[in-house]
Amino acid sequence: MYLSEIRLANLRCFETLDVELGDRWNYFLGGNGAGKTTLLEAVYLLSHARSFRGGSRTGLGRREIDEYSVFGRLEKRDGSSARLGLSRSEGRLGGRIDGAAVPLGGLLRQSAVVCFEPGSHDLIAGSAELRRSFLDWGVFHVEPEFLECWRRHQKALRQRNALLRRGGTAAEFEPWEAELGTAGQRINEWRIGYLARLRPHVLGQLEVFLPELGTADLRFKPGWQEGASLVEDLAANRQRDGERGHTLRGAHRADWSLLFAKASRREHLSRGQEKLAALACVIGQARLFAEIALEWPILCFDDLASELDEPHQGLVIDSLKAVPAQILITGTAAPLCLTEQKVPLIMFHVEHEKVSRMAE
């Protein structure tokens, strides 16, 4: 899949913008603050309904006005196409496909975008919430029932937390704990299944990017004691959870981690190694999506040259040269690694809230 056009209004620094994109390598050149990252952000919004810069759905509007819109023309490799739209107005997000209003989940299933950007190292070193979001985005595109199950889980979690804070009776807790346990167990099973399919793609990419760390493995923690009943666990820990004011066990506490033979804890990794490990996860997830959907997701790399040294930039390009994916890259300087390898680039210049295609 690829976006042949991206159009936006009142997003970050842009009042309006309309750009036609190539179906393979696109490079956006410009100074800091010119708006390059916003272009990738717009593409990402159509797939995630949030920014990769902190995950916020608010504060994206131009001059702090909390209203914006993003439009993209999505082309599939089978020849089909769809006009996708996401807008925020009066504090609410709305989705459209070919002009018709659709639930947000329906819009997000249409396109798939993965992104490597300056904050991506947090996927390895940051909070478990980031790793759950990464994992659940993949599950969402594999399991049609995931979104509804996740929503039921979130509702049950909110209800149980409210009971913990005000002090509910056992009869009030039991139905919500039953729902939390059932939905949490289902989510857990989906996550385990997805990670099993993701593992070879990530580990294969790690062999390319971080061979000096030795054999790698990917471990999953479900958020409660493995093999135990979550419903029984919740009931047994009401008093403890009540003292904290929130639920301490469940699918909302799940996490996963990468372990290396020569770096058994993530604290042993340098910042550069964290970035490369995160990049392996991003590309691995893209490869798995392509394997399942028979369609490559759109790949975004924000300021690739500043995040990776030239040898590792070369490894990324080598990994992707034969991949039939649309690739969007930003940078502040001419892309030497790409031009040296004779990658067929379409170049854009970003300056003063304008984007212009450069002569080939």
Side-chain angles (χ1 to χ4, degrees):
M1 67 180 67
Y2 67 97
L3 288 169
S4 60
E5 179 186 11
I6 188 76
R7 190 166 73 225
L8 52 92
N10 296 319
L11 186 69
R12 301 282 191 191
C13 64
F14 292 104
E15 182 175 4
T16 60
L17 183 68
D18 190 347
V19 181
E20 293 184 2
L21 302 172
D23 65 353
R24 291 288 285 114
W25 297 79
N26 299 262
Y27 190 89
F28 299 92
L29 173 67
N32 292 326
K36 305 183 303 297
T37 297
T38 300
L39 288 166
L40 301 193
E41 196 171 28
V43 172
Y44 192 86
L45 281 166
L46 290 174
S47 174
H48 296 255
R50 58 179 172 82
S51 170
F52 53 73
R53 295 196 270 192
S56 175
R57 290 183 174 180
T58 63
L60 302 181
R62 187 170 182 262
R63 295 177 181 173
E64 300 183 357
I65 299 173
D66 192 26
E67 294 190 357
Y68 58 84
S69 62
V70 180
F71 164 90
R73 183 178 295 278
L74 185 72
E75 313 287 349
K76 296 293 185 72
R77 300 293 175 180
D78 63 6
S80 63
S81 65
R83 293 177 292 115
L84 309 182
L86 177 75
S87 62
R88 184 174 180 87
S89 179
E90 297 181 351
R92 299 186 64 182
L93 282 174
R96 304 185 78 84
I97 300 176
D98 293 329
V102 296
L104 207 54
L107 172 68
L108 302 186
R109 286 195 184 280
Q110 293 296 309
S111 66
V113 179
V114 300
C115 184
F116 177 74
E117 42 84 27
S120 290
H121 69 275
D122 283 339
L123 183 62
I124 305 302
S127 70
E129 182 180 0
L130 295 172
R131 287 183 289 278
R132 284 194 300 273
S133 294
F134 171 87
L135 181 60
D136 288 347
W137 182 84
V139 177
F140 167 77
H141 281 283
V142 173
E143 300 293 345
E145 299 176 13
F146 171 78
L147 182 59
E148 180 58 31
C149 187
W150 183 85
R151 286 172 172 165
R152 294 201 318 270
H153 176 273
Q154 293 302 102
K155 180 179 179 180
L157 180 61
R158 289 193 298 269
Q159 294 292 338
R160 185 177 190 270
N161 285 343
L163 290 171
L164 290 170
R165 288 189 287 269
R166 72 172 175 83
T169 66
E172 290 177 304
F173 273 103
E174 286 169 1
W176 294 116
E177 289 176 348
E179 176 77 341
L180 199 58
T182 301
Q185 185 62 49
R186 193 78 185 276
I187 291 170
N188 181 55
E189 292 170 356
W190 283 331
R191 286 170 171 170
I192 291 172
Y194 179 78
L195 276 177
R197 301 178 74 172
L198 179 64
R199 180 177 282 107
H201 294 283
V202 171
L203 300 189
Q205 203 67 53
L206 286 169
E207 290 179 1
V208 175
F209 290 160
L210 290 168
E212 69 273 15
L213 294 182
T215 304
D217 195 13
L218 198 159
R219 303 283 178 86
F220 177 69
K221 298 179 181 178
W224 70 95
Q225 185 177 353
E226 293 188 46
S229 164
L230 178 54
V231 175
E232 293 176 2
D233 194 311
L234 292 169
N237 286 284
R238 285 175 197 158
Q239 181 176 347
R240 184 200 61 172
D241 289 355
E243 292 170 354
R244 300 289 185 89
H246 58 273
T247 303
L248 296 174
R249 303 281 187 93
H252 63 292
R253 306 284 289 185
D255 198 3
W256 57 269
S257 60
L258 285 172
L259 302 176
F260 296 88
K262 298 180 181 179
S264 58
R265 299 176 62 184
R266 62 174 177 248
E267 291 82 1
H268 297 161
L269 301 179
S270 69
R271 178 59 61 88
Q273 289 171 331
E274 289 171 356
K275 291 179 180 179
L276 289 168
L279 180 57
C281 292
V282 169
I283 294 178
Q285 188 172 64
R287 290 188 182 281
L288 176 57
F289 183 93
E291 177 183 281
I292 294 171
L294 304 180
E295 185 91 51
W296 271 84
I298 298 164
L299 309 180
C300 295
F301 299 91
D302 189 25
D303 209 2
L304 183 65
S306 72
E307 294 303 301
L308 301 178
D309 58 27
E310 286 194 14
H312 286 105
Q313 290 178 55
L315 290 177
V316 173
I317 295 164
D318 284 341
S319 296
L320 299 177
K321 279 174 69 175
V323 167
Q326 184 179 48
I327 300 172
L328 312 179
I329 305 175
T330 69
T332 58
L336 295 180
C337 281
L338 291 166
T339 54
E340 287 174 355
Q341 295 201 37
K342 298 182 179 179
V343 172
L345 279 178
I346 295 178
M347 295 273 292
F348 298 88
H349 187 231
V350 185
E351 186 179 23
H352 303 310
E353 304 174 17
K354 295 182 180 179
V355 178
S356 55
R357 183 164 174 169
M358 300 171 65
E360 297 182 7

